[in-house]
């Protein structure tokens, strides 16, 4: 089941095209004296963001550039809102206009800041409405783009476009108008579905966490020095870290599951090997102990095929008892693995059918060698030795 989970995740559509996308990260640090912070407030951060994007687009080989506060599948968005807590991140409230306050208590979503070309870089699908523009900035109407999950969950029978939402419980906070709906992007991991996300313009709601996403045919190793130079040309004190391709990020997001699958596969293979050796050794011992009986049977007219089938039946019967016991135990404990699975039911019929058949085939093969050895017993030699 873990192997099927791993296979399904490797084939999972992340909601965007990760090919030819390079990412880099920086952090707009906070000095001890807030008055010395050049990125305090929206104007300072917006100026940095625009200059950063201008420089990134000027790098030879870069087709498009954008920034975000949270890269897909990294599960590191520092602005989870509502009741969703990821790695101890801050929790806020979410309100929807024209909804009673009581009905807004359990609303949750993740807020992700992005620049206008973000969806173009990722080649994500805009289903309805519009993307952000350079004009969606401070002082203008606050706008947001929601994903399919948000639309289905909070507006199941209404059109979300033009509706307004607000982050936090403070009624004085401004409303944000929904202007677009994007196809779901796996922002929290390939194995996490249905989490609502609300995208806001980084020019209206900036973040200290800045991740650059570039669409380019160049490898990350070749671009890293240029990205580092351009960022630190704006501010030499800024760190630049985790420069990698988006495909590498997707691979890293599956690292723990890949390790679990490899570990379980290794132990499963070892268990099958030990079981095969055990069956082979037991039947080989039985053939040696029953050589006189085999000789008598063959002297009385038993055919070699009869002797072969007799020992094969014993080996398969031994394996059958173990398989039945294993099926009962697996069926009773399979639900405990539910949290480790994706796209596979704990009591998946295919798994509970194919695996026992595979084990039975391995047991038959392990039984065949000593059974074939039994057919080569010379009845005269066996009787004489007895």
């Amino acid at each position: 089941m873990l192997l099927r989970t791993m296979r399904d995740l490797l084939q999972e559509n992340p909601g965007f095209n990760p090919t030819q996308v390079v990412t880099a990260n920086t952090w707009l640090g906070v000095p001890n004296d807030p008055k010395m912070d050049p990125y305090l407030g929206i104007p300072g951060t917006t100026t940095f963001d625009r200059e950063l994007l201008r420089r990134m687009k000027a790098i030879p080989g870069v087709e498009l550039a954008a920034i975000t506060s949270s890269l897909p599948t990294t599960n590191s968005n520092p602005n989870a809102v509502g009741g969703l807590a990821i790695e101890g991140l801050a929790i806020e409230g979410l309100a929807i206009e024209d909804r009673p306050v009581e009905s807004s208590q359990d609303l949750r979503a993740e807020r992700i800041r992005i620049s206008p070309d973000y969806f173009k870089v990722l080649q994500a699908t805009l289903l309805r409405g519009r993307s952000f523009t350079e004009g969606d900035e401070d002082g203008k109407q606050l706008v947001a783009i929601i994903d399919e999950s948000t639309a289905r969950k909070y507006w199941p029978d209404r059109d979300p476009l033009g509706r307004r939402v607000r982050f936090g419980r403070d009624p004085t906070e401004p409303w944000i108008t929904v202007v677009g709906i994007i196809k779901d992007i796996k922002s929290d991991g390939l194995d996490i579905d249905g989490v609502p996300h609300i995208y806001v313009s980084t020019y209206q709601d900036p973040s200290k966490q800045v991740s650059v996403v570039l669409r380019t045919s160049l490898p990350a190793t070749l671009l890293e020095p240029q990205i580092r130079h351009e960022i630190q040309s704006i501010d030499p004190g800024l760190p630049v870290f985790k420069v990698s391709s988006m495909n590498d990020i997707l691979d890293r997001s599956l690292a723990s599951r890949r390790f679990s699958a490899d570990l379980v596969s290794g132990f499963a293979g070892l268990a099958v090997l030990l079981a095969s050796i055990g069956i082979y050794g037991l039947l080989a011992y039985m053939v040696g102990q029953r050589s006189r009986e085999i000789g008598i049977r063959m002297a009385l007219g038993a055919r070699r095929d009869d002797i072969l089938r007799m020992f094969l039946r014993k080996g398969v019967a031994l394996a059958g008892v173990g398989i039945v016991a294993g099926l009962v135990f697996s069926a009773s404990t399979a639900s405990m693995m539910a949290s480790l699975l994706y796209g596979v039911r704990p009591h998946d019929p295919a798994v509970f059918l194919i695996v026992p058949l595979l084990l039975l085939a391995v047991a038959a093969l392990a039984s065949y060698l000593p059974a074939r050895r039994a057919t080569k017993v010379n009845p005269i030699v066996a009787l004489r030795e007895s």
Side-chain angles (χ1 to χ4, degrees), residues 13 24 92 112 114 154 162 188 202 267 292 306 349 360 364-366:
N13 181 7
E92 304 175 45
I112 301 176
I114 63 172
Y154 298 138
D188 306 291
T202 190
F267 279 117
R292 181 174 182 273
D306 297 330
L360 204 60
L365 181 62

Side-chain angles (χ1 to χ4, degrees), residues 344-373:
V344 183
R345 291 178 295 170
H347 297 92
D348 186 70
V351 173
F352 276 80
L353 177 63
I354 293 174
V355 172
L357 291 177
L358 178 62
L359 292 175
L360 204 60
V362 172
L365 181 62
S367 304
Y368 176 77
L369 296 177
R372 186 168 176 271
R373 177 185 161 197

Side-chain angles (χ1 to χ4, degrees), residues 12 24 42 49 70-71 74 78 86 101 171 173 184 307 327 355:
E12 184 71 17
I42 296 178
D49 290 343
S70 177
L71 291 170
T74 58
I86 298 178
V101 175
E173 287 292 318
D184 281 347
I307 301 298
L327 281 174
V355 172

Side-chain angles (χ1 to χ4, degrees), residues 5-12 190-191 254 257 342:
T5 292
M6 193 66 206
R7 184 201 65 185
D8 290 346
L9 287 175
L10 290 173
Q11 298 175 348
E12 184 71 17
L190 292 173
D191 55 349
L254 297 176
R257 285 190 175 274
Y342 179 83

Side-chain angles (χ1 to χ4, degrees), residues 62-110:
V62 173
E63 301 171 19
L64 289 169
I67 57 177
T68 178
S69 61
S70 177
L71 291 170
T73 74
T74 58
N75 211 14
S76 59
N77 180 12
N79 303 289
V81 298
L84 185 65
I86 298 178
E87 296 180 359
L89 301 176
I91 298 177
E92 304 175 45
L94 179 68
I96 297 178
E97 191 178 30
D98 299 329
R99 299 276 182 93
V101 175
E102 295 77 12
S103 67
S104 300
Q105 296 300 317
D106 297 326
L107 299 187
R108 58 182 68 182
E110 287 186 39

Side-chain angles (χ1 to χ4, degrees), residues 48-219:
F48 170 83
D49 290 343
R50 291 186 186 275
E51 178 62 15
L52 174 62
L53 287 173
R54 186 189 68 80
R55 289 174 176 267
M56 292 297 106
K57 293 175 182 177
I59 296 176
V62 173
E63 301 171 19
L64 289 169
I67 57 177
T68 178
S69 61
S70 177
L71 291 170
T73 74
T74 58
N75 211 14
S76 59
N77 180 12
N79 303 289
V81 298
L84 185 65
I86 298 178
E87 296 180 359
L89 301 176
I91 298 177
E92 304 175 45
L94 179 68
I96 297 178
E97 191 178 30
D98 299 329
R99 299 276 182 93
V101 175
E102 295 77 12
S103 67
S104 300
Q105 296 300 317
D106 297 326
L107 299 187
R108 58 182 68 182
E110 287 186 39
R111 172 167 38 175
I112 301 176
R113 283 92 167 177
I114 63 172
S115 64
D117 287 336
Y118 179 70
F119 295 131
K120 289 183 180 179
V121 173
L122 295 186
Q123 294 182 352
T125 303
L126 182 68
L127 300 176
R128 295 178 58 201
R130 68 172 179 88
S131 294
F132 294 136
T133 67
E134 293 294 327
D136 293 322
E137 56 188 359
D138 188 32
K140 302 292 182 64
Q141 180 189 36
L142 298 181
V143 291
I145 298 173
I146 63 175
D147 59 12
E148 286 181 289
S149 293
T150 307
R152 282 194 302 266
K153 186 167 185 176
Y154 298 138
W155 293 277
D157 52 2
R158 302 180 68 181
D159 184 2
L161 295 182
R163 305 292 176 182
R164 302 200 298 176
V165 298
R166 180 173 61 207
F167 294 110
R169 305 293 184 189
D170 187 353
T172 63
E173 287 292 318
W175 291 102
I176 306 172
T177 303
V178 177
V179 296
I181 304 174
I182 196 76
K183 189 174 182 179
D184 281 347
I185 295 175
K186 298 278 189 172
S187 295
D188 306 291
L190 292 173
D191 55 349
I192 300 178
D193 294 315
V195 177
H197 298 89
I198 298 178
Y199 299 89
V200 296
S201 172
T202 190
Y203 299 148
Q204 296 182 332
D205 186 1
S207 171
K208 292 283 188 177
Q209 170 66 47
V210 178
S211 297
V212 179
V213 287
L214 309 176
R215 179 152 292 280
T216 174
S217 59
L218 301 177

